Amino acid sequence: MNPHPPADDRDSAAAGRPPTVADVLALPVLAAGQPQVITGLPQLDRPVRWVHITELTDPASFLKGGELVLTTGMPLPEDAAGVRRYVDELTDVGAAALVIELVRRYHRPPEALVQACHARGLPLVTLARDVNFLEVTQVVHALILGNQAEAMRRTQRIHEAFTALTLRGAGPQEVVRAAAEMSGRTVVLENLVHQALICEPSGSTAGDALADWEQRSRATEPGHHTEVGGPEGWLTVPVSYQGERWGRLAMLRLPQGGQDFGPEHVTVLERTAMALTVARLIHSTPLEYTAHRTALRELAEQRHHSAEDARARCAALGLPTEDSRFVAILVDLGSEADGELEARLHRDLRSAGIPALVGELFPGRLGVLPALRPAQPWRPVAERLSRTALGLVPEAIVSAGSEVTDLADTARSFREAARVLEATPPGQPLPAGRSFHELPDVDLRRLLYALREDTRIQDYTERRLGRLIDHDTRHGTGLLTTLGHYLDSAGNKTTAARRGGLSRETMYQRLRTIERLLDIDLESGERRTELHVALTAWRVLRT
């Protein structure tokens, strides 16, 4: 089954959307009557949900909205006031259009009717020749019902496609890509601070779709439900887990225009949100393990049945487990899984007489667990390993946990090394005299970097600085930069003014504006601390 419908069907009436007034007028059964649009030409894209033949003076009482009203003109009131009332009732109930036959009572549309339809924006269509209204009803209703059935079939195919994606554990990128292919629209997944995490373009380039993304996204207020809104008319849906929103999906309009979003687009986006939530909860990708990899993973994740079992397995692999000390060392290769490096580390450790487990914990990350003699320092070993790794993969990041004396405690050392990696952005300078990172190196900035995907950090940053950022965005001011100079100067206004190249008076004025916008007192040390943390997080989130 191909879940992705062809592009040329997505925006046509055959794709399941109701036919429009223009579609119906183009049908041969109505075209034979030589239809002429008298008023409401811009409204011909209104959907027709039913056809109603009437010769009543008050047909609105039998309508529910979206009907194409057919009449011979016989029931039209004689007076202008009555005609206006007739048109008002049709418009108020939401009729799609009024079609009048100019054969029996009228041979030209009454002026009062034309004026009333024009005033209310109701499409008025005249037929110069006799038309079988019953045949029109049958043809249009068959078209409507057929499209509804097709829409149901297509919706079912959408559900089946996303169910298949979820069952096979598709990643977020694949899920968003499928949404873009099914809808024929660009789909973007963003986080709570309006950063585009994934973009799958359709009908445009990613550069076009993401140009000035944060500013454009901020102009589209986040909602709690699926909705169309904002200056560009995006279709958006929040992405949540257990009631907590962690992101938002946006489906963009086609750059060259086209049909509005329909029920199928809503279905695609809502199923995408569900699939993304599931994908976010899935653990690591299954790997093909070697004996070393399996042992390392069991130790790092504490998946062994018991401490004794772990010792036995490791001892069988040649790792001394008694009277030894252990330290977990991780080598993060980014997106590059390097089998050559794994083999090189094995050789280097053997040549140095250092027993160790070496293996790929998951793609892009190697784990090393050396067993050290009681009097053997661990830092020279970590230095040797990191220099080997960086010599082969210069962009690699090496981290180390703390030393433990029991093999059963190595999970803690692995967790610490992983936390160091999480807190180490690409390009982070190495500590003096070392080529690896360890836990004491993690300062506030690196801690916030490690927590950058936590929605609580994103929400805290947005609540503290959102109004200031919005003000800068709308007015082109640099108040956030001024606040940064002030906070980085520990509240010293003179130093802050000098750093920002401002006069003291201008600095004072900007600080007063910041206080007003954020409703805080910058003289409070506690408030300054809160803002400094938020500003540091904001900088980290844009690293």
Side-chain angles (χ1 to χ4, degrees):
M1 181 188 69
N2 179 12
H4 310 315
D8 56 355
D9 284 346
R10 291 182 185 127
D11 285 324
S12 67
R17 66 169 176 83
T20 64
V21 175
D23 294 331
V24 172
L25 294 180
L27 293 173
V29 67
L30 264 178
Q34 299 178 356
Q36 181 178 0
V37 180
I38 305 301
T39 66
L41 187 62
Q43 283 76 42
L44 294 188
D45 59 350
R46 289 180 176 179
V48 175
R49 307 191 184 279
W50 210 243
V51 177
H52 185 74
I53 303 171
T54 183
E55 300 300 338
L56 300 175
T57 57
D58 59 342
S61 59
F62 296 91
L63 305 180
K64 294 184 178 180
E67 292 88 356
L68 185 75
V69 178
L70 305 179
T71 180
T72 62
M74 300 299 293
L76 285 179
E78 295 287 348
D79 59 305
V83 170
R84 286 195 299 271
R85 182 171 59 254
Y86 182 90
V87 172
D88 286 342
E89 290 177 356
L90 290 179
T91 305
D92 292 342
V93 81
L98 175 63
V99 178
I100 180 172
E101 190 181 71
L102 302 181
V103 176
R104 293 169 177 80
R105 180 178 177 185
Y106 298 104
H107 296 286
R108 56 181 299 177
E111 187 61 27
L113 180 64
V114 174
Q115 292 179 0
C117 289
H118 178 75
R120 294 302 305 271
L122 178 67
L124 174 63
V125 181
T126 62
L127 299 176
R129 299 182 62 181
D130 192 15
V131 169
N132 188 326
F133 282 175
L134 181 58
E135 185 179 356
V136 172
T137 302
Q138 292 173 336
V139 171
V140 176
H141 287 178
L143 176 63
I144 292 171
L145 293 175
N147 285 343
Q148 290 175 349
E150 175 62 19
M152 293 177 64
R153 288 191 291 269
R154 292 172 67 87
T155 298
Q156 180 63 28
R157 290 197 292 269
I158 291 170
H159 285 295
E160 291 173 353
F162 276 103
T163 298
L165 287 170
T166 301
L167 289 177
R168 74 165 183 262
Q173 190 81 43
E174 185 179 357
V175 170
V176 176
R177 183 181 303 117
E181 291 175 355
M182 281 188 240
S183 64
R185 307 294 177 95
T186 295
V187 180
V188 180
L189 172 66
E190 67 172 9
N191 62 15
L192 296 183
V193 291
H194 305 279
Q195 293 177 328
L197 305 179
I198 300 175
C199 173
E200 283 295 331
S202 180
S204 66
T205 65
D208 292 335
L210 298 179
D212 300 319
W213 176 261
E214 181 176 348
Q215 180 178 352
R216 292 160 59 207
S217 177
R218 285 181 178 276
T220 303
E221 291 292 332
H224 299 290
H225 308 285
T226 308
E227 60 187 13
V228 177
E232 299 181 44
W234 293 348
L235 177 65
T236 62
V237 60
V239 187
S240 307
Y241 175 65
Q242 293 184 341
E244 180 183 7
R245 185 167 62 93
W246 60 267
R248 179 172 70 165
L249 277 167
M251 184 180 287
L252 279 55
R253 290 182 176 277
L254 294 173
Q256 69 273 18
Q259 296 294 331
D260 292 335
F261 296 113
E264 288 183 23
H265 297 104
V266 173
T267 301
V268 167
L269 207 61
E270 290 179 344
R271 283 307 308 264
T272 303
M274 294 172 60
L276 284 172
T277 297
V278 174
R280 189 170 183 253
L281 299 175
I282 294 176
H283 199 52
S284 57
T285 305
L287 300 173
E288 182 181 355
Y289 297 112
T290 63
H292 273 222
R293 293 174 182 178
T294 301
L296 278 171
R297 196 170 186 83
E298 288 182 349
L299 289 171
E301 299 178 3
Q302 289 185 303
R303 294 197 294 117
H304 43 262
H305 296 295
S306 64
E308 291 74 18
D309 180 71
R311 293 189 186 98
R313 288 176 178 271
C314 291
L317 292 172
L319 188 76
T321 59
E322 302 295 333
D323 298 322
S324 296
R325 293 174 297 110
F326 309 91
V327 60
I329 299 171
L330 297 179
V331 182
D332 198 331
L333 305 172
S335 60
E336 180 180 357
D338 197 320
E340 182 182 352
L341 176 58
E342 185 175 351
R344 177 75 66 83
L345 292 176
H346 272 292
R347 292 196 299 269
D348 282 2
L349 288 166
R350 282 198 301 267
S351 65
I354 303 172
L357 296 177
V358 180
E360 188 180 51
L361 293 176
F362 51 84
R365 181 171 295 181
L366 295 178
V368 183
L369 185 69
L372 307 172
R373 298 183 301 274
Q376 184 179 10
W378 67 268
R379 282 187 171 82
V381 176
E383 189 69 26
R384 180 187 187 109
L385 290 171
S386 62
R387 290 192 182 279
T388 298
L390 293 173
L392 196 60
V393 185
E395 64 273 19
I397 301 174
V398 183
S399 68
S402 59
E403 186 182 69
V404 297
T405 58
D406 192 330
L407 189 69
D409 294 332
T410 53
R412 171 167 57 85
S413 188
F414 274 110
R415 284 196 299 269
E416 291 173 350
R419 289 171 185 165
V420 174
L421 281 182
E422 291 169 0
T424 305
Q428 175 71 33
L430 286 162
R434 274 195 280 126
S435 58
F436 64 92
H437 303 268
E438 55 181 312
L439 206 55
D441 301 330
V442 179
D443 54 14
L444 174 63
R445 182 182 180 86
R446 291 179 63 172
L447 175 63
L448 291 172
Y449 178 82
L451 299 174
R452 66 193 183 280
E453 304 229 0
D454 191 316
T455 55
R456 291 169 294 183
I457 295 295
Q458 297 177 7
D459 180 66
Y460 177 86
T461 303
E462 192 69 9
R463 284 190 288 108
R464 288 287 182 271
L465 300 175
R467 283 177 288 177
L468 197 62
I469 297 172
D470 289 340
H471 184 277
D472 280 348
T473 301
R474 288 194 302 270
H475 302 286
T477 54
L479 295 180
L480 190 66
T481 301
T482 300
L483 178 62
H485 290 317
Y486 176 71
L487 296 175
D488 292 340
S489 303
N492 188 308
K493 299 174 183 176
T494 301
T495 302
R498 184 168 60 253
R499 287 185 176 182
L502 304 172
S503 66
R504 287 173 58 88
E505 292 75 12
T506 301
M507 173 59 68
Y508 291 157
Q509 180 183 5
R510 290 192 176 187
L511 292 178
R512 285 194 296 271
T513 302
I514 291 171
E515 287 180 323
R516 176 177 56 80
L517 289 172
L518 300 183
D519 191 24
I520 60 167
D521 179 11
L522 289 176
E523 294 300 319
S524 167
E526 183 176 354
R527 298 289 89 78
R528 288 206 301 268
T529 300
E530 292 171 352
L531 286 177
H532 212 165
V533 170
L535 184 60
T536 303
W538 182 86
R539 290 167 173 169
V540 164
L541 287 167
R542 281 149 182 78
T543 300

